[in-house]
Amino acid sequence: MYRNLLTIRDMDRAQIEEFLDLAVEMKSRVLSGKPLPDMGRLTLGMLFFEPSTRTRVSFERAAHYLGMRIANFSQPGSSMNKGETLKDTILTLRYERLNGLVIRHRMSGSPLLAAQYFTGPVLNAGDGMHEHPTQALGDALTVLERKGRLSDLRVAIVGDVLHSRVARSNAWLFSKLGNEVRFVGPRTLMPAHGAMLPANIYYDLEEGIDNADVVMCLRLQKERMEGTALSSIAEYAKLYQVNAWSLRYAAPDCLVMHPGPLNRGVEVDDLAADGEQSAITQQVENGIFVRMAGLYWAFGGKRKSRSEAPRKPAAKPKATKTKAKA
Ligand code: NCD
């Protein structure tokens, strides 16, 4: 049996916890050089129709650790540039006998569409302004490691919430686990349907990060902005930048996070981004382990099934030995 990883909204608390346990296990195996599941018979299609550094590289690293092969696609190099629809692209990849897909696309809901035409797991690597589930899971793993718990925390997500799939996935994840989630930013960068998302909205930075245990900074996504959402970047930075000054309002041991890419000097300054409270590089590294967990989980792997390697969806149940990977 395979599973799609499309949204955090559709996961329940137990699934999120199972997933994080799996990521912890993957991380300890990689760091201690213990054997990892061998998924070497599987080829993963990587469809990145929007720019990506961290997500793309960490999915590739994750696949490499699990021994998988990768087939890369991006819009400029594929037939989508010749007018082919996403549906036809997905059907083509299905009959090219790929086993799973990782997809990033500017259109919200595109991974769900892909899942309808593909046979095998589809993993959402960011769809428009909708969700970015593996980012949120990696962020959760980082918070767990740094804070020692994943509940009863005040999590402030600051900046361009309107255009952020990271904000949406994290709001679902942290609220499902029993934390207080706050969206902080200017009115023009807040979703109009904010009330439907599990977060309290603050337009004032000091109030929004008051006593926060975690402050997640978001980039201004200018590529998605229509019209004049901001009067000036300098004014935005003055009102909403996460820096030593604004962090005085947060809890003294507050964690500073950012999904990247950073626009230093805008949403966050150097001191906050590189200081002791920052977890930004740890978020990047944990991205690999949650994506390993994601691939293993999506192909039907379960926690504690060490002797049971994940199988191709159509294959008959059969136990195989785990094998060490470099
Ligand atoms: C984010 C994304 O693409 O949604 N980055 C990421 O995946 N690490 C956030 C952004 O682009 O600002």
Side-chain angles (χ1 to χ4, degrees):
M1 255 313 277
Y2 66 83
R3 296 178 274 202
N4 299 315
L5 181 49
L6 302 177
T7 66
I8 299 291
R9 188 182 178 161
D10 291 333
M11 290 174 91
D12 60 26
R13 187 182 180 133
Q15 275 178 316
I16 294 170
E17 285 171 352
E18 179 202 337
F19 198 103
L20 291 173
D21 283 350
L22 205 50
V24 168
E25 168 108 22
M26 292 291 178
K27 182 168 185 173
S28 93
R29 284 178 171 265
V30 169
L31 298 185
S32 63
K34 281 199 200 135
L36 292 163
D38 179 10
M39 297 167 68
R41 290 167 302 152
L42 303 170
T43 302
L44 188 65
M46 297 271 286
L47 282 77
F48 278 75
F49 299 121
E50 273 194 345
S52 174
T53 305
R54 283 148 269 260
T55 307
R56 182 184 194 121
V57 175
S58 57
F59 261 116
E60 286 192 11
R61 294 296 294 132
H64 290 152
Y65 274 120
L66 297 169
M68 301 175 85
R69 277 162 292 184
I70 286 174
N72 271 302
F73 300 84
S74 58
Q75 186 138 4
S78 78
S79 290
M80 284 189 83
N81 248 19
K82 300 180 185 173
E84 186 171 75
T85 61
L86 182 61
K87 170 185 164 182
D88 285 325
T89 302
I90 300 298
L91 280 173
T92 305
L93 299 178
R94 170 172 163 186
Y95 289 100
E96 294 288 2
R97 303 181 57 80
L98 293 187
N99 305 107
L101 294 180
V102 172
I103 178 167
R104 167 170 287 199
H105 198 284
R106 66 173 191 287
M107 188 178 82
S108 298
S110 47
L112 180 64
L113 182 92
Q116 279 159 9
Y117 295 106
F118 191 71
T119 318
V122 174
L123 292 95
N124 181 3
D127 60 331
M129 290 154 47
H130 182 219
E131 282 229 30
H132 194 350
T134 56
Q135 177 68 43
L137 288 158
D139 293 348
L141 177 59
T142 306
V143 171
L144 178 64
E145 289 174 346
R146 292 285 283 262
K147 290 274 162 210
R149 67 183 201 276
L150 264 180
S151 57
D152 296 321
L153 295 165
R154 279 178 287 264
V155 180
I157 304 179
V158 184
D160 182 1
V161 177
L162 174 61
H163 300 105
S164 177
R165 48 200 179 205
V166 174
R168 286 171 178 77
S169 286
N170 268 314
W172 287 116
L173 189 147
F174 281 93
S175 64
K176 279 173 196 259
L177 295 186
N179 300 281
E180 180 195 334
V181 181
R182 304 171 184 173
F183 286 158
V184 189
R187 233 165 254 273
T188 48
L189 294 179
M190 218 36 99
H193 57 286
M196 288 163 61
L197 288 160
N200 297 317
I201 293 179
Y202 293 82
Y203 301 115
D204 180 84
L205 181 63
E206 290 166 20
E207 270 180 45
I209 68 174
D210 180 52
N211 231 350
D213 301 295
V214 176
V215 172
M216 290 188 186
C217 314
L218 300 174
R219 181 178 66 90
L220 294 175
Q221 299 202 13
K222 293 190 210 100
E223 71 278 17
R224 294 188 215 280
M225 285 184 196
E226 286 160 17
T228 47
L230 287 171
S231 51
S232 90
I233 302 285
E235 188 182 67
Y236 172 84
K238 197 166 161 227
L239 292 173
Y240 293 101
Q241 186 179 88
V242 173
N243 53 32
W245 182 257
S246 43
L247 284 173
R248 287 178 312 141
Y249 296 93
D253 59 347
C254 150
L255 210 56
V256 175
M257 302 181 74
H258 195 309
L262 279 70
N263 283 168
R264 287 173 182 263
V266 182
E267 71 272 8
V268 64
D269 77 346
D270 286 339
L271 274 176
D274 303 328
E276 277 188 3
Q277 284 168 257
S278 169
I280 298 173
T281 51
Q282 198 174 336
Q283 286 174 270
V284 174
E285 196 178 10
N286 280 337
I288 303 171
F289 309 119
V290 288
R291 287 167 183 125
M292 288 174 76
L295 292 170
Y296 183 65
W297 178 91
F299 280 98
K302 286 195 179 69
R303 190 157 183 263
K304 296 206 191 297
S305 56
R306 291 178 198 178
S307 61
E308 184 193 40
R311 300 174 284 275
K312 284 184 196 175
K316 272 194 192 156
K318 185 178 130 204
T320 7
K321 277 192 186 140
T322 53
K323 189 172 111 186
K325 285 277 147 194

